[in-house]
Amino acid sequence: MSNERNEPRARLTAGTSFDDTSHLKQERAIRTRGTILNAAAAAFATEGFPQVTIKAIADGADLTKGAVYFHFPNKEALAVAVLEEFYRRMQEAVNGALEHGDPASPSTFVEVVRRLARAFHEDIFIHAGARLQIERPYIKAELPVPYVGTLDVLTELLDKCRKAGSLPEDTNPEAMARALGAAVFGAQHMSWVLNNREDVVERVEEIIDAFVPLR
């Protein structure tokens, strides 16, 4: 009889489900990682990789050094993560232009360049990535190869423009992409050094006016 009285309770206990908090922990970890990356990007952009410390990043994120090390084993890993986000955001800027424009139109090429200029003006991850690219010799880690993806996109767009008759038939899309890419990335660097990128959009517009016909 005793066992019979306890059986319903045993069944209830076995069938009771408890809230799974693993997804909450995962979300919290993702938020914490994002906070750390934001702090790292700001530190790398303003101070440069050699000067930045894990403590400075932890302080910027309002976290302990242990919390930073839980997500990233060292400063190099943080630099790699920031650069990966830099390239993702650069690609995002390019995609925003390609989604709504005709790839064979010079106006789409111009919109890609303008979006890159705005990203260099506004986005702290772009600022950090641009600086980290310069400081590659100080970062003892395997880093993404810079510029290649952007130059590939510019070359493809210019080739489509040439085939559509928007550029002279003898235009070399690859050479033109390299020249324009160098001009844009050089302009953002000069704008950073001279004016903290406040005039980068205007400097890129000058490049567009000088080198991109038939918009």
Side-chain angles (χ1 to χ4, degrees):
M1 294 291 293
S2 175
N3 288 338
E4 292 176 356
R5 285 196 298 269
N6 290 334
E7 187 178 354
R9 182 180 299 175
R11 284 202 300 269
L12 179 62
T13 302
T16 301
S17 62
F18 296 93
D19 290 337
D20 182 3
T21 61
S22 61
H23 69 287
L24 297 177
K25 292 179 181 178
Q26 185 177 21
E27 290 176 1
R28 185 163 58 248
I30 291 171
R31 287 196 302 270
T32 300
R33 188 178 189 277
T35 299
I36 294 168
L37 281 181
N38 284 329
F44 290 144
T46 56
E47 301 297 331
F49 181 84
Q51 288 74 31
V52 171
T53 65
I54 292 293
K55 183 180 185 306
I57 293 171
D59 290 345
D62 198 23
L63 295 167
T64 65
K65 288 172 60 177
V68 175
Y69 281 122
F70 179 82
H71 291 273
F72 299 96
N74 50 46
K75 192 169 66 167
E76 284 75 13
L78 274 162
V80 171
V82 168
L83 274 169
E84 288 174 347
E85 181 65 11
F86 162 74
Y87 287 114
R88 189 193 69 78
R89 294 187 184 206
M90 290 279 283
Q91 187 62 53
E92 192 175 69
V94 170
N95 290 345
L98 298 181
E99 285 172 1
H100 305 291
D102 177 2
S105 170
S107 62
T108 301
F109 178 90
V110 168
E111 181 61 18
V112 167
V113 174
R114 283 176 173 156
R115 284 174 180 258
L116 291 175
R118 290 197 293 271
F120 275 114
H121 181 254
E122 300 166 0
D123 194 325
I124 193 67
F125 275 90
I126 303 298
H127 300 171
R131 183 162 188 167
L132 287 171
Q133 286 185 138
I134 297 171
E135 297 172 340
R136 293 171 71 89
Y138 301 105
I139 306 171
K140 306 306 180 185
E142 186 174 348
L143 304 177
V145 178
Y147 308 121
V148 174
T150 302
L151 291 178
D152 285 346
V153 171
L154 297 183
T155 299
E156 182 178 353
L157 289 174
L158 290 170
D159 186 53
K160 290 180 183 296
C161 290
R162 182 183 62 82
K163 290 176 178 177
S166 300
L167 292 174
E169 182 62 30
D170 61 352
T171 296
N172 183 329
E174 189 173 355
M176 189 174 184
R178 282 196 302 268
L180 283 165
V184 170
F185 286 108
Q188 73 81 24
H189 181 79
M190 291 179 64
S191 178
W192 167 44
V193 172
L194 298 176
N195 295 303
N196 198 31
R197 293 193 178 90
E198 289 300 320
D199 62 347
V200 64
V201 173
E202 290 78 9
R203 299 294 77 79
V204 170
E205 283 295 327
E206 292 172 349
I207 294 168
I208 292 170
D209 290 340
F211 291 104
V212 186
L214 303 176
R215 294 192 296 285

